[in-house]
Amino acid sequence: MLAGLNERFPAVEGWIRQAQALLDPVLVVLAPSDDALTLSWSLQGEPQLTSVPLPQDLVRAGVPLQRDVLGDTLADLLLDQGLVAAQVAVDVLLPLPCCQWRRLQGAAAATLGNGDDLRALAPDLGWSLSLQESYLDLVPDLSTETVMVVGAERMVLQAWLDTLAAADFSVRRAEWLLCAAWRGLVCLHEQDLQQPLIWLLEQGGRWRLLLLEHGWPELDVALDARDLAALRVEVLGLVGAWMEHNSEPGSAALPLPGWYVTADAAWRGRWGESHDALKLGPLLGDAEMSLVELALMAPAEVPG
């Protein structure tokens, strides 16, 4: 009877789908950048992924400039996938330029419970962001008296929330793309993180180098190099200096670090062409996933 009704009145199927969605919303992860919108969700247990390029000047340095146009683009993109605003809850991964982070250690760091505690402590984080004008997220590890502080300018975060509101989407949470990718890396390579890890990552042709100790970023450096030869020289110089700084005179040699490269598909396998694992340490991944794909591998976290 229902099938026959749907054939006579096609709109009924859409109404039923929207009613069901209100009871069981679809979680969509949005990863925007200056040149693309990438969306991920699950359909009947199967992961779905789609991406659409963006014209210039819709997003610049991670900041949405034309919010209504972006909202319409996002709504149309989801509608093409059979999803409407009423049935969607969005987790947004803030673009790389939007946020900064810093690892804090010690007894004082272990007492931090929220952003207000950090503002009261007022440490010098070396940020261009103001603590008082930033949205702050804390990722603690109480066993080691360590906390990772992630900050985003409030106006930038609000701009993305306004963009999604323009498309009538409900926002569940916001997280920094790099922080989600870091959680994804930890999830995939937890056993390998007992040794130091060199994490080399690229997005949009720009590279950065992260040096991880026991899974926690010790150093995060934006790199100048763009081509592979110059990149290798810059990276090996920084890694050599870091290893020398962390070695103690007369002590045993530090274990060789693992290496993991996260980059777009055009870079797949290229770092490994000249990587000497015996001298430098094992190469655990050579751009098998992009930064967005790695971030989407992170386990979901719900606040509270």
Side-chain angles (χ1 to χ4, degrees):
M1 177 66 71
L2 181 58
L5 188 61
N6 286 347
E7 291 176 1
R8 293 174 55 196
F9 303 101
V12 171
E13 185 176 0
W15 296 338
I16 293 173
R17 186 169 61 246
Q18 291 187 40
Q20 290 174 335
L22 292 175
L23 299 176
D24 187 20
V26 177
L27 176 60
V28 173
V29 180
L30 167 65
S33 68
D34 284 9
D35 53 15
L37 294 177
T38 301
L39 300 168
S40 174
W41 69 99
S42 179
L43 180 63
Q44 297 179 346
E46 294 294 326
Q48 309 292 315
L49 184 69
T50 188
S51 184
V52 60
L54 291 177
Q56 289 185 346
D57 293 331
L58 284 187
V59 181
R60 185 183 302 159
V63 181
L65 301 182
Q66 300 184 45
R67 302 174 193 179
D68 290 341
V69 175
L70 272 173
D72 290 343
T73 301
L74 180 58
D76 291 343
L77 182 59
L78 284 173
L79 190 59
D80 289 342
Q81 306 299 322
L83 299 173
V84 295
Q87 68 184 120
V88 168
V90 176
D91 282 2
V92 58
L93 299 179
L94 297 172
L96 274 184
C98 290
C99 303
Q100 298 180 43
W101 61 355
R102 183 73 64 207
R103 181 186 180 189
L104 301 179
Q105 292 179 280
T111 65
L112 298 174
N114 53 45
D116 288 338
D117 292 341
L118 184 66
R119 294 184 186 95
L121 186 62
D124 181 7
L125 300 178
W127 284 358
S128 60
L129 300 175
S130 163
L131 285 180
Q132 301 303 321
E133 301 299 328
S134 298
Y135 168 82
L136 301 173
D137 189 22
L138 276 61
V139 183
D141 180 6
L142 299 181
S143 64
T144 60
E145 294 187 335
T146 294
V147 61
M148 180 63 75
V149 180
V150 184
E153 188 177 353
R154 290 185 187 276
M155 291 180 62
V156 175
L157 175 60
Q158 190 61 52
W160 281 110
L161 297 180
D162 290 346
T163 297
L164 292 166
D168 295 325
F169 288 114
S170 171
V171 180
R172 193 185 71 146
R173 66 191 298 266
E175 183 178 15
W176 189 26
L177 173 65
L178 182 54
C179 196
W182 170 49
R183 293 196 300 109
L185 181 65
V186 171
C187 181
L188 288 175
H189 291 277
E190 185 174 2
Q191 297 302 317
D192 298 314
L193 296 178
Q194 300 309 308
Q195 63 185 29
L197 182 71
I198 311 300
W199 184 18
L200 183 61
L201 61 92
E202 175 269 345
Q203 190 184 51
R206 296 183 176 276
W207 291 85
R208 62 200 295 166
L209 177 70
L210 278 76
L211 307 175
L212 278 62
E213 280 279 9
H214 302 291
W216 288 84
E218 288 281 348
L219 185 66
D220 179 4
V221 181
L223 302 176
D224 296 324
R226 296 291 181 267
D227 66 88
L228 185 59
L231 182 68
R232 190 176 298 277
V233 170
E234 187 175 7
V235 168
L236 294 182
L238 288 169
V239 171
W242 179 62
M243 297 289 287
E244 183 177 350
H245 176 76
N246 283 276
S247 64
E248 298 181 3
S251 63
L254 293 174
L256 290 176
W259 292 71
Y260 193 86
V261 180
T262 302
D264 289 339
W267 290 90
R268 189 164 299 160
R270 295 186 61 192
W271 183 266
E273 293 172 357
S274 301
H275 182 81
D276 189 339
L278 293 179
K279 292 183 178 180
L280 298 174
L283 182 60
L284 305 175
D286 196 1
E288 285 86 1
M289 287 187 287
S290 68
L291 189 65
V292 171
E293 289 169 330
L294 184 59
L296 295 175
M297 295 292 295
E301 290 188 351
V302 180

